[in-house]
Amino acid sequence: AFRQASQRFEGFGVLAPRVEYLHLLAEEDLRHLKDFGVVPSMQPAQLLNDIRWLPARLGASRAQRSHRWRFVQANASQLLAMGSGVPMSSPDPRLGIYAAMTRQVPADEAPTAQAKKGFYVDQQLSADAAVGGYTAGAAAAALQDDRRGRLALGYAADFTALDIDIGRLAPATASR
């Protein structure tokens, strides 16, 4: 579809085409994202729901290919854009940032050992990458990166102040 659209419409890439809910991705498809400048849009908080059923329904091999944030980040030509996935998950971006960094359900809510220890933790994002997905990445996907997505003079002051260092949320395995 992206190939056809790019051939039919001049300036297609300027529109910031994206794939929402990019949760299960075949490696060969990543090339297509790069070829057409497609923004990968992911919803990390959704993983906290999906952990409960992914391995049983998809099988171990396919489940391992889901929610591959670090892989996509390393191989995409665009920033990751992250969002909440409402109504399937909480609109609170803190939950999504937590999920992106830890890939685990909070201990008091974890129904399985897999959910407690983390879901394929090699795909954890650093605090900078997780926050960047919700700020600069989301602004770029909305074609508003010239006025949103970072703290800078002349940019919209849409920010949240926290009383914790979110970098301490993630286990030591997350890259910094």
Side-chain angles (χ1 to χ4, degrees):
F2 288 127
R3 179 179 290 114
Q4 288 177 359
S6 69
Q7 292 169 349
R8 292 179 65 190
F9 304 107
E10 188 175 325
F12 171 75
V14 176
L15 299 175
R18 61 181 149 177
V19 174
E20 290 292 339
Y21 293 94
L22 186 65
H23 293 265
L24 186 60
L25 175 71
E27 290 189 27
E28 60 270 16
D29 289 336
L30 187 61
R31 177 176 43 87
H32 299 300
L33 297 180
K34 280 183 162 182
D35 290 348
F36 303 108
V38 176
V39 176
S41 181
M42 303 170 153
Q43 294 70 28
Q46 191 70 49
L47 175 65
L48 303 182
N49 295 321
D50 294 355
I51 285 174
R52 305 172 204 291
W53 59 265
L54 272 173
R57 293 186 189 167
L58 296 183
S61 176
R62 287 184 71 213
Q64 187 173 2
R65 291 194 338 248
S66 69
H67 302 276
R68 295 177 72 188
W69 308 315
R70 187 182 287 176
F71 173 78
V72 173
Q73 177 194 33
N75 292 286
S77 61
Q78 303 283 338
L79 290 169
L80 295 181
M82 295 184 165
S84 67
V86 167
M88 301 302 294
S89 55
S90 169
D92 188 340
R94 295 173 301 172
L95 185 61
I97 292 168
Y98 172 84
M101 292 171 56
T102 67
R103 297 181 63 86
Q104 66 189 41
V105 175
D108 59 334
E109 299 175 20
T112 66
Q114 177 76 37
K116 288 177 187 170
K117 73 177 183 173
F119 188 80
Y120 300 104
V121 295
D122 63 313
Q123 293 299 311
Q124 292 171 328
L125 292 178
S126 68
D128 287 344
V131 171
Y134 279 90
T135 56
L143 299 176
Q144 296 183 5
D145 52 333
D146 62 339
R147 61 189 173 278
R148 295 185 179 280
R150 62 189 181 110
L151 295 177
L153 186 62
Y155 279 58
D158 49 353
F159 62 91
T160 300
L162 302 174
D163 64 352
I164 61 168
D165 175 1
I166 63 166
R168 295 177 183 244
L169 292 177
T173 58
S175 69
R176 299 274 177 216

Short mmCIF file of all heavy atoms in Angstrom, two decimals, residues 145-173:
data_model
loop_
_atom_site.label_atom_id
_atom_site.label_comp_id
_atom_site.label_asym_id
_atom_site.label_seq_id
_atom_site.Cartn_x
_atom_site.Cartn_y
_atom_site.Cartn_z
N ASP A 145 6.80 18.65 14.96
CA ASP A 145 8.10 18.68 15.63
C ASP A 145 8.79 20.04 15.54
O ASP A 145 9.81 20.26 16.17
CB ASP A 145 9.03 17.58 15.11
CG ASP A 145 9.16 17.56 13.62
OD1 ASP A 145 8.23 18.00 12.91
OD2 ASP A 145 10.20 17.08 13.13
N ASP A 146 8.19 20.97 14.82
CA ASP A 146 8.73 22.32 14.77
C ASP A 146 8.17 23.19 15.90
O ASP A 146 8.57 24.33 16.07
CB ASP A 146 8.43 22.98 13.43
CG ASP A 146 6.93 23.12 13.15
OD1 ASP A 146 6.12 22.37 13.77
OD2 ASP A 146 6.55 23.95 12.31
N ARG A 147 7.25 22.62 16.71
CA ARG A 147 6.66 23.40 17.79
C ARG A 147 6.28 22.58 19.02
O ARG A 147 5.81 23.12 20.00
CB ARG A 147 5.44 24.16 17.28
CG ARG A 147 4.32 23.29 16.76
CD ARG A 147 3.24 24.13 16.07
NE ARG A 147 2.24 23.32 15.41
CZ ARG A 147 2.34 22.78 14.21
NH1 ARG A 147 3.44 22.94 13.51
NH2 ARG A 147 1.36 22.06 13.70
N ARG A 148 6.48 21.28 18.97
CA ARG A 148 6.15 20.40 20.10
C ARG A 148 7.21 19.30 20.22
O ARG A 148 7.97 19.07 19.31
CB ARG A 148 4.80 19.71 19.90
CG ARG A 148 3.62 20.62 19.88
CD ARG A 148 2.32 19.81 19.80
NE ARG A 148 1.17 20.65 19.81
CZ ARG A 148 0.63 21.18 20.88
NH1 ARG A 148 1.14 20.96 22.05
NH2 ARG A 148 -0.42 21.97 20.80
N GLY A 149 7.19 18.64 21.36
CA GLY A 149 8.02 17.45 21.51
C GLY A 149 9.32 17.63 22.24
O GLY A 149 10.03 16.67 22.50
N ARG A 150 9.65 18.85 22.58
CA ARG A 150 10.87 19.10 23.36
C ARG A 150 10.73 20.42 24.10
O ARG A 150 9.89 21.25 23.74
CB ARG A 150 12.11 19.07 22.49
CG ARG A 150 12.16 20.11 21.41
CD ARG A 150 13.34 19.83 20.46
NE ARG A 150 13.42 20.84 19.44
CZ ARG A 150 14.36 21.76 19.37
NH1 ARG A 150 15.32 21.80 20.26
NH2 ARG A 150 14.36 22.65 18.40
N LEU A 151 11.56 20.58 25.08
CA LEU A 151 11.57 21.84 25.82
C LEU A 151 12.53 22.80 25.11
O LEU A 151 13.74 22.59 25.12
CB LEU A 151 12.02 21.61 27.27
CG LEU A 151 11.09 20.75 28.11
CD1 LEU A 151 11.67 20.53 29.49
CD2 LEU A 151 9.71 21.38 28.22
N ALA A 152 11.97 23.79 24.46
CA ALA A 152 12.79 24.75 23.72
C ALA A 152 12.02 26.06 23.58
O ALA A 152 10.79 26.08 23.60
CB ALA A 152 13.13 24.20 22.33
N LEU A 153 12.76 27.12 23.42
CA LEU A 153 12.17 28.43 23.24
C LEU A 153 11.24 28.42 22.03
O LEU A 153 11.60 27.94 20.96
CB LEU A 153 13.28 29.47 23.03
CG LEU A 153 12.84 30.92 22.97
CD1 LEU A 153 12.18 31.34 24.28
CD2 LEU A 153 14.03 31.82 22.67
N GLY A 154 10.03 28.90 22.23
CA GLY A 154 9.05 28.96 21.16
C GLY A 154 8.20 27.70 21.00
O GLY A 154 7.27 27.69 20.22
N TYR A 155 8.51 26.65 21.73
CA TYR A 155 7.74 25.41 21.64
C TYR A 155 6.61 25.42 22.68
O TYR A 155 6.70 26.11 23.70
CB TYR A 155 8.63 24.20 21.90
CG TYR A 155 9.42 23.77 20.68
CD1 TYR A 155 10.28 24.65 20.04
CD2 TYR A 155 9.30 22.49 20.19
CE1 TYR A 155 11.00 24.25 18.93
CE2 TYR A 155 10.01 22.09 19.08
CZ TYR A 155 10.86 22.97 18.45
OH TYR A 155 11.56 22.58 17.34
N ALA A 156 5.55 24.69 22.39
CA ALA A 156 4.44 24.58 23.33
C ALA A 156 4.96 23.99 24.64
O ALA A 156 5.75 23.05 24.64
CB ALA A 156 3.35 23.68 22.76
N ALA A 157 4.52 24.56 25.73
CA ALA A 157 4.99 24.12 27.05
C ALA A 157 4.05 23.04 27.60
O ALA A 157 3.40 23.20 28.61
CB ALA A 157 5.07 25.30 28.01
N ASP A 158 3.99 21.92 26.88
CA ASP A 158 3.17 20.81 27.35
C ASP A 158 4.11 19.76 27.95
O ASP A 158 4.68 18.95 27.24
CB ASP A 158 2.30 20.24 26.23
CG ASP A 158 3.07 19.96 24.95
OD1 ASP A 158 4.25 20.31 24.86
OD2 ASP A 158 2.47 19.37 24.04
N PHE A 159 4.29 19.85 29.25
CA PHE A 159 5.22 18.94 29.92
C PHE A 159 4.69 18.57 31.28
O PHE A 159 3.76 19.17 31.80
CB PHE A 159 6.62 19.56 30.04
CG PHE A 159 6.67 20.81 30.87
CD1 PHE A 159 6.92 20.75 32.23
CD2 PHE A 159 6.49 22.05 30.29
CE1 PHE A 159 6.98 21.90 33.00
CE2 PHE A 159 6.55 23.21 31.04
CZ PHE A 159 6.78 23.14 32.40
N THR A 160 5.30 17.54 31.85
CA THR A 160 4.94 17.05 33.17
C THR A 160 6.20 17.00 34.02
O THR A 160 7.25 16.56 33.55
CB THR A 160 4.35 15.62 33.07
OG1 THR A 160 3.18 15.68 32.25
CG2 THR A 160 3.99 15.08 34.43
N ALA A 161 6.10 17.44 35.25
CA ALA A 161 7.22 17.34 36.18
C ALA A 161 6.95 16.19 37.14
O ALA A 161 5.84 16.07 37.67
CB ALA A 161 7.38 18.65 36.96
N LEU A 162 7.92 15.33 37.31
CA LEU A 162 7.78 14.18 38.21
C LEU A 162 8.72 14.35 39.39
O LEU A 162 9.76 15.00 39.28
CB LEU A 162 8.13 12.89 37.46
CG LEU A 162 7.30 12.59 36.22
CD1 LEU A 162 7.83 11.36 35.50
CD2 LEU A 162 5.84 12.41 36.58
N ASP A 163 8.38 13.71 40.48
CA ASP A 163 9.23 13.81 41.67
C ASP A 163 10.15 12.60 41.81
O ASP A 163 10.69 12.35 42.88
CB ASP A 163 8.37 13.98 42.93
CG ASP A 163 7.48 12.80 43.21
OD1 ASP A 163 7.39 11.89 42.36
OD2 ASP A 163 6.86 12.77 44.29
N ILE A 164 10.34 11.86 40.72
CA ILE A 164 11.26 10.71 40.73
C ILE A 164 12.14 10.76 39.50
O ILE A 164 11.82 11.43 38.52
CB ILE A 164 10.48 9.37 40.74
CG1 ILE A 164 9.62 9.25 39.47
CG2 ILE A 164 9.64 9.20 41.99
CD1 ILE A 164 9.05 7.87 39.24
N ASP A 165 13.25 10.04 39.55
CA ASP A 165 14.12 9.89 38.40
C ASP A 165 13.64 8.64 37.66
O ASP A 165 13.87 7.53 38.12
CB ASP A 165 15.56 9.73 38.86
CG ASP A 165 16.53 9.45 37.72
OD1 ASP A 165 16.10 9.38 36.55
OD2 ASP A 165 17.72 9.27 38.00
N ILE A 166 12.98 8.81 36.52
CA ILE A 166 12.43 7.64 35.84
C ILE A 166 13.52 6.71 35.31
O ILE A 166 13.26 5.54 35.06
CB ILE A 166 11.46 8.01 34.70
CG1 ILE A 166 12.18 8.78 33.60
CG2 ILE A 166 10.27 8.76 35.24
CD1 ILE A 166 11.36 8.88 32.34
N GLY A 167 14.72 7.20 35.19
CA GLY A 167 15.83 6.35 34.78
C GLY A 167 16.08 5.23 35.76
O GLY A 167 16.66 4.21 35.42
N ARG A 168 15.61 5.38 36.99
CA ARG A 168 15.80 4.34 38.00
C ARG A 168 14.72 3.26 37.95
O ARG A 168 14.79 2.28 38.68
CB ARG A 168 15.83 4.96 39.39
CG ARG A 168 17.02 5.87 39.59
CD ARG A 168 16.96 6.51 40.96
NE ARG A 168 18.06 7.42 41.10
CZ ARG A 168 19.05 7.27 41.98
NH1 ARG A 168 19.05 6.25 42.79
NH2 ARG A 168 20.01 8.15 42.04
N LEU A 169 13.72 3.44 37.11
CA LEU A 169 12.65 2.44 37.00
C LEU A 169 13.12 1.17 36.31
O LEU A 169 12.66 0.09 36.61
CB LEU A 169 11.48 3.01 36.21
CG LEU A 169 10.67 4.12 36.83
CD1 LEU A 169 9.61 4.59 35.85
CD2 LEU A 169 10.03 3.65 38.12
N ALA A 170 13.98 1.32 35.33
CA ALA A 170 14.35 0.18 34.49
C ALA A 170 15.44 -0.65 35.14
O ALA A 170 16.34 -0.13 35.79
CB ALA A 170 14.83 0.68 33.14
N PRO A 171 15.36 -1.95 34.94
CA PRO A 171 16.45 -2.82 35.39
C PRO A 171 17.76 -2.46 34.71
O PRO A 171 17.76 -1.80 33.67
CB PRO A 171 15.99 -4.22 34.97
CG PRO A 171 14.51 -4.09 34.82
CD PRO A 171 14.27 -2.68 34.37
N ALA A 172 18.85 -2.88 35.25
CA ALA A 172 20.17 -2.53 34.74
C ALA A 172 20.40 -3.01 33.31
O ALA A 172 21.30 -2.53 32.64
CB ALA A 172 21.24 -3.12 35.65
N THR A 173 19.59 -3.93 32.80
CA THR A 173 19.80 -4.44 31.46
C THR A 173 19.41 -3.46 30.36
O THR A 173 19.81 -3.62 29.23
CB THR A 173 19.01 -5.74 31.24
OG1 THR A 173 17.63 -5.47 31.49
CG2 THR A 173 19.50 -6.85 32.14
#
